[in-house]
Amino acid sequence: MKRIVQELYKSAHVAGHAASAAKTWQRNVSGLAQDSAQKSPSRAQLRAHALQSAVPMIGFGVVDCVVMTQVGSTMDAVLGARLGISSITAAAIGLFCSDSCGVLFGGTIESFAGRLGLPTANLTSEQLEMPETKRVATLGRLVGVQLGVLLGSTTLLLQGGGDADRNSAQETACAADLPSHLAATAAITTAADVVVFSKPGCPFCEEAENMLLASGVAFRKVPHDVHQKNLQELTSSTAAPSIWMHGKYVGNKYIDGGHRRPSHDLAVRRRES
């Protein structure tokens, strides 16, 4: 009888220990689930993290676009006329400068963004490594740089070209009245605000080009020999260079900003011939 009682006591003790172990395991599992739920960032944290990722990229986009467009257009106007480089080469020079500025001023842009008082996400290191956190940060940077590029592109509205657009219809009509071989040359004279038909090694051409460059006037350089006969029919002159401004012949010298009266130059050329 005593042995039976001892066996029952042992069985009850073992069962109680097992029940206690099961409760402990359940508490641990529920605690891990709560910890996992706490580690997932909230929507407010994700929004704050996306905003912090987007704002610096807006600055990068603005700087990159402004530097690339302005430097590229300047290189196209200056080096394109002097060295004959293509527009895509000028764009590559502008891209080189814009990327360099991004590296040089990246810390300044991030520091400025940090002083704007943006909401803090307060994410832990584990939360920063979560997939949803990385996706939100990537999306914020993408939207930020696109917005910055759009803002930087507004500087293109400040560039000139309005006079050529306003006179394009009139210039096209005038070219249509000319013979086909003259119309091709006339079309070139309206391809830019200032067009210079120049000969290689011609000192007068170099002098005119240097005066234009020194005055900050962008111009398109065209071989004079190819269009010499057509230019003679259009201007009654074979002199080089042949300078055109807004589709009007202004002579072979750059004087007083090129605002000489075309009729006066034509009369002079006709007397010379």
Side-chain angles (χ1 to χ4, degrees):
M1 186 66 181
K2 183 178 179 181
R3 182 179 298 174
I4 294 173
V5 172
Q6 289 177 348
E7 291 295 334
L8 292 173
Y9 176 79
K10 289 181 179 179
S11 300
H13 180 70
V14 171
H17 183 71
S20 177
K23 290 181 180 180
T24 302
W25 181 80
Q26 289 178 353
R27 285 196 299 269
N28 290 338
V29 170
S30 61
L32 289 174
Q34 291 177 357
D35 292 341
S36 178
Q38 291 176 356
K39 285 182 180 179
S40 298
S42 63
R43 290 186 177 181
Q45 287 178 308
L46 292 176
R47 285 195 297 268
H49 188 55
L51 185 62
Q52 288 179 335
S53 302
V55 170
M57 297 308 297
I58 295 176
F60 283 118
V62 170
V63 172
D64 188 72
C65 184
V66 170
V67 173
M68 185 178 66
T69 54
Q70 298 303 318
V71 173
S73 60
T74 302
M75 292 296 101
D76 188 26
V78 178
L79 295 183
R82 182 180 289 272
L83 303 179
I85 67 173
S86 62
S87 298
I88 193 64
T89 304
I93 296 174
L95 181 62
F96 173 82
C97 296
S98 66
D99 289 343
S100 300
C101 289
V103 173
L104 293 174
F105 301 106
T108 303
I109 294 174
E110 292 179 350
S111 177
F112 177 77
R115 294 196 297 267
L116 294 178
L118 300 175
T120 305
N122 294 323
L123 298 172
T124 63
S125 58
E126 292 82 4
Q127 289 175 330
L128 289 172
E129 296 299 324
M130 290 183 176
E132 60 267 30
T133 306
K134 292 182 178 180
R135 285 195 296 268
V136 166
T138 301
L139 180 61
R141 288 191 289 266
L142 176 62
V143 173
V145 74
Q146 290 177 342
L147 180 59
V149 171
L150 290 175
L151 292 175
S153 299
T154 57
T155 58
L156 297 175
L157 300 176
L158 303 178
Q159 295 183 358
D163 294 338
D165 294 336
R166 286 191 296 268
N167 297 330
S168 59
Q170 180 180 358
E171 292 163 354
T172 304
C174 293
D177 297 334
L178 296 173
S180 58
H181 65 287
L182 295 181
T185 302
I188 295 176
T189 64
T190 62
D193 288 345
V194 179
V195 177
V196 178
F197 292 86
S198 178
K199 287 184 178 180
C202 172
F204 303 106
C205 299
E206 294 180 359
E207 179 183 0
E209 291 172 11
N210 291 333
M211 293 182 68
L212 285 166
L213 292 171
S215 302
V217 178
F219 62 93
R220 179 176 178 179
K221 185 176 179 179
V222 182
H224 185 276
D225 295 338
V226 177
H227 302 273
Q228 183 172 353
K229 292 183 178 180
N230 295 342
L231 290 172
Q232 184 178 8
E233 292 187 44
L234 291 172
T235 65
S236 301
S237 173
T238 59
S242 180
I243 303 176
W244 296 72
M245 291 189 175
H246 303 292
K248 296 181 179 180
Y249 177 61
V250 297
N252 67 334
K253 293 184 179 180
Y254 181 69
I255 300 176
D256 297 331
H259 296 294
R260 295 190 303 174
R261 291 179 298 176
S263 59
H264 172 75
D265 291 322
L266 234 86
V268 172
R269 295 300 172 199
R270 286 172 178 171
R271 286 197 300 267
E272 289 177 353
S273 62

